[in-house]
Amino acid sequence: MWELLKIELLKIFRRPRTYIAFGAITAIVFLVQLALKLDGKSYIDLLLSNLSGSFEFSDEFKSKLLNGYLVCFAILTALLIQMPLLVSLIAGDSIAGEANMGTLRLSLIRPVGRTKYMIVKFLASVIYTIALLIWMAVLALFGSMLIFGTNDMVVLRSTGIDQIAASDVMWRYFAAFGYAAVALTTIAALAFLLSVFAENSIGPIIATMSIIIVFTILSEMNIPFYDDSIKPWLFTTHMVAWKGFFYVKATDDGVTITGSIANLPAILKSLTILLGYIAGFVFIAIWVFRKKDILS
Amino acid sequence: MSAIISVKGLTKNFRELNAVDDLSFEVEESVVYGFLGQNGAGKSTTIRMLLTLVQPSEGTINIFGKELKKHRKEILRRIGAVIERPDLYKYLTGIENLRIFATMSGIKASEKKLMNELERVGIAQRAHSKVKTYSQGMKQRLGIATALVHDPDLIVLDEPTNGLDPQGIADIRNLIIHLSKDLHKTVFISSHLLSEMELIADSMLIIDKGKKVVEGKVNELFDPSDMIVQLKTTDNASAIEKLNISDLKKFLYHKSADNIILKLHRDEVPLLVKRLVQMEISVMSIESRHSLEDYFLSLTTGQRHVGAS
Amino acid sequence: MNRTIRSITRKKRNFHLIAVLLLPAFLSFSFTEAQTAQEVIAQIKAKVEKVNDYVAQGKLKTNVAFIKAPVANVKIYFKKPNKVRIRNTSGISFIPKGSVNISLDNVFTDIDSYDVIDAGRDAKTGLRIIKLLPLNDTSEVVLSTLYIDDSKILVMKATTTTRDNGTYELQMTYGRYADFGLADKVIFSFNTREYKLPKGVTFDYDTGGTKAEENKIKDRKGKVEIDYSDYVINKGVPDSVFQ
């Protein structure tokens, strides 16, 4: 198993295409950091525009607010919407690409079970996804911490402001990245499933993105009918649950409780649903693939 | 000699299309077995079923005396194959490609062993170049190397000389002969070129539209004293019926509503004519067509100048 | 929405004005104090004027319906006549507008620009009520009402209505620094504008908050509590702090 996995990783990480994603992330993160470094004040003013009537915001306040934690949060919010494309770039290619190169048939006439082959392929996609995420974490979190320093983190939500003490932030990021890994693995699993049906990788990538876009629209629209029926079950609804780690509990007089999570059961429920999706996608992919006639 | 491959009643339907239809054949140990047919005759589908890439609709496949379905891994460990023209991993080097497939066959090959393998197919000097820089012929050679790297007992090659220059074709031919005669491997090789098969194959199977046309040893199939005779009657159906229950049945070679082909020795032709009259088969014409080889050739190249009416 | 809020504020203001206009006349009939309002104010002013500047350590607690924030360690700087700065020494604090009034000093510094009106005593607490009406029509402050413990010469509570930033209330508790008129604890109550950020901007993780939570968010009363632990008085504060 390990030998096979090494092969798959070699195939992924020796491929120029793989580094497009790493390059894209590097570029996006760097551009956001650069923009905020040069003109963070405008961004902060925009964020605070709704509050400036009630509060006094000094320049010192603003520069403290624009710290590495906030910048990372902003980058994550933006990037985790784009990341599925980068994940499907590899996961969508994992079977379809082999079919396209004519190596699928050469691989499947080796004494390796198709189930095992699929599991290894999927694991390799997951490892790639996590590697991408770690790279992003290094750039977006540690990079921003270096550039912007650290301070209390202020999370602006549509329903209020959650302020977290600087010392209480780091573990939340680790939890959030852990969760994001699962969320992106869901995308990888979807792209992987679609990859089974195609003989070139463009199809699964486009199909994955299309499904995500449709689901996201359904998730974001506030239509009562969808809200109660299908929305709670769409995986896209649960993709953003990483943010839940930055929503805190407070005492009756509004003091943040250190180490608290506002709604852990909701996050765990989201996590369970995503894991269910992953299991479902991978199971169907393997089931279909086992029966599939390889004609590529 | 025991049968390495034994196929019975093999059938594959893709929705409407009957790609392989009730095919049965046996391949004996240490022979070069030619598998001939036009493009689209069902060769590729058959080979894919032998290699578990395609699931048969019906029929059984036994390889090395074991049922393929039940002993898949065990059997595949002993098979090496190249199917059509693989592109391989273009962004990796030749030797890296080879190592990947060696590992997938469960062997840990040393650098030296891999280089030897590349040497055998004549691309050792380009071992460390990326495959995307290879010519079509080099890719084909590398493909063959991947089929041989785990020292298989049965080698399945699907149109191995496709896209090769004459020197390349000769090299592959010599390699196949070497594998068979010196190393006693069984080679199952498909082609649409009879002339090529004649040079290397010991036995041969010709299929057309998914059905077996003929199977046999090459030296027997291509006996020059054999003749092929096309019969035209007023009522082919009843003629076939009558032939089927007569002593002439052994001559019947190919029969269809518009085509009755008989294969017989030159000396037997007068007897045939006599018996046809006796059996009251209303013969329109009886023509000796070209040699058997020409007939096969017509089947395998798609120029159907025999039996076309 | 905003329009209704504004009109409510306006009504309130009108009400205050009427109350302010009526109260003094009403009360002046009932009894006469030993000290006039002007005298009480003068005494407080004298006390407050002993402090040229101070730096105080404190813990700041924000209690606004839509904000969850940790307790912050803050330093409060003051310098005559009316410079006040609350600085969070480590983290971030949302400081409400008008918090300059936390010191009240600015009121006493230019007390001459106010009409001092005696409004008698609070029935429950027995505190002296003195209203300050700015003479200048364009002044930001519309009305300040001080609740004064005249035995200790300390302002216990102050309500200030401003032109643009609503009404604030200050509640003071005194201890070690009572002699300087400096409180150990100040509760600053204020009104916030309604908080609203569109979901399309925040991309929230929606866990389906309850109606009770949503209503709580709509509460526009806010409080900031400062617990002073330590004052350093009249040791000089550089002006740069206030920039």
Side-chain angles (χ1 to χ4, degrees), chain B residues 88-299:
Chain B
L88 299 152
Y89 303 107
K90 289 183 219 167
Y91 50 90
L92 298 177
T93 65
I95 196 160
E96 282 170 334
N97 268 280
L98 194 56
R99 185 177 290 118
I100 284 175
F101 291 106
T103 310
M104 290 195 80
S105 278
I107 60 159
K108 266 198 132 110
S110 65
E111 181 91 4
K112 190 166 171 251
K113 156 101 173 109
L114 294 175
M115 284 305 286
N116 284 345
E117 213 57 60
L118 293 173
E119 187 78 52
R120 174 145 77 175
V121 293
I123 52 170
Q125 75 283 0
R126 294 290 300 280
H128 297 285
S129 305
K130 291 215 166 117
V131 170
K132 65 180 169 200
T133 66
Y134 281 23
S135 69
Q136 196 54 52
M138 290 172 69
K139 277 190 215 162
Q140 189 73 333
R141 286 158 192 255
L142 178 59
I144 290 170
T146 67
L148 302 178
V149 71
H150 53 295
D151 195 27
D153 297 318
L154 170 63
I155 295 149
V156 178
L157 302 172
D158 188 9
E159 304 271 4
T161 55
N162 247 5
L164 296 188
D165 55 20
Q167 181 56 48
I169 292 172
D171 286 349
I172 299 288
R173 190 191 301 140
N174 292 334
L175 177 64
I176 290 166
I177 291 167
H178 164 72
L179 289 169
S180 161
K181 302 297 172 274
D182 303 336
L183 304 175
H184 306 290
K185 308 278 185 196
T186 308
V187 182
F188 185 94
I189 178 167
S190 85
S191 176
H192 62 277
L193 298 172
L194 180 70
S195 54
E196 203 181 291
M197 285 300 99
E198 249 185 305
L199 292 170
I200 52 171
D202 302 304
S203 293
M204 195 179 278
L205 167 68
I206 301 177
I207 64 165
D208 186 40
K209 291 180 184 154
K211 282 192 164 86
K212 170 154 70 173
V213 175
V214 65
E215 182 191 9
K217 291 199 166 28
V218 170
N219 52 12
E220 288 168 13
L221 285 175
F222 299 124
D223 185 343
S225 55
D226 275 347
M227 269 192 81
I228 196 141
V229 167
Q230 185 180 25
L231 198 61
K232 281 187 183 167
T233 70
T234 49
D235 183 358
N236 275 0
S238 79
I240 290 169
E241 223 169 89
K242 285 175 183 169
L243 287 168
N244 258 337
I245 51 165
S246 73
D247 54 334
L248 298 180
K249 194 190 172 195
K250 61 182 180 200
F251 298 140
L252 259 179
Y253 193 67
H254 185 79
K255 58 202 176 191
S256 67
D258 53 13
N259 218 357
I260 303 173
I261 305 280
L262 298 118
K263 184 190 145 194
L264 63 176
H265 199 267
R266 187 177 294 277
D267 301 342
E268 290 168 321
V269 176
L271 174 74
L272 170 75
V273 175
K274 191 174 156 194
R275 290 287 293 120
L276 286 173
V277 173
Q278 280 172 354
M279 286 163 68
E280 297 182 334
I281 292 173
S282 43
V283 178
M284 302 281 287
S285 73
I286 175 164
E287 282 177 63
S288 135
R289 301 306 299 229
H290 312 262
S291 72
L292 184 65
E293 187 167 353
D294 287 339
Y295 172 69
F296 293 147
L297 209 55
S298 72
L299 285 179

Side-chain angles (χ1 to χ4, degrees), chain A residues 3 7 11 14-15 98 101 103 105-106 108-114 290 292-296, chain B residues 12 48 52-55 72-73 81 83 85 87-89 91-92 96 103-105 108 146 150:
Chain A
E3 287 297 321
I7 289 177
K11 285 187 213 163
R14 283 292 303 279
R15 229 176 150 166
E98 297 263 358
M101 287 185 291
T103 44
R105 55 178 190 265
L106 287 190
L108 294 178
I109 58 173
R110 302 284 157 176
V112 175
R114 285 201 191 179
R290 279 179 65 91
K292 188 177 160 76
D293 285 336
I294 308 301
L295 301 171
S296 58
Chain B
K12 179 66 188 181
R48 280 164 193 264
T52 72
L53 291 174
V54 170
Q55 288 186 359
R72 180 178 174 272
K73 270 197 213 172
I83 309 151
R85 274 187 278 170
D87 270 344
L88 299 152
Y89 303 107
Y91 50 90
L92 298 177
E96 282 170 334
T103 310
M104 290 195 80
S105 278
K108 266 198 132 110
T146 67
H150 53 295

Side-chain angles (χ1 to χ4, degrees), chain A residues 54-55 252-254, chain C residues 12 60-68 94-97 99 102 158 165-171 186-195 216-226:
Chain A
S54 312
F55 296 94
D252 286 342
D253 49 0
Chain C
K12 244 186 212 166
L60 182 144
K61 204 152 111 183
T62 313
N63 188 356
V64 176
F66 56 81
I67 295 179
K68 295 173 195 162
F94 284 86
I95 310 288
K97 267 206 171 148
S99 57
I102 280 174
N165 292 312
T167 300
Y168 314 120
E169 188 185 284
L170 283 169
Q171 266 186 294
V186 174
I187 299 174
F188 180 75
S189 305
F190 60 105
N191 285 315
T192 63
R193 304 229 172 123
E194 191 178 9
Y195 177 78
K216 199 183 153 206
I217 302 295
K218 287 190 183 138
D219 184 2
R220 286 184 286 113
K221 288 244 183 293
K223 263 200 271 182
V224 165
E225 288 179 38
I226 301 176

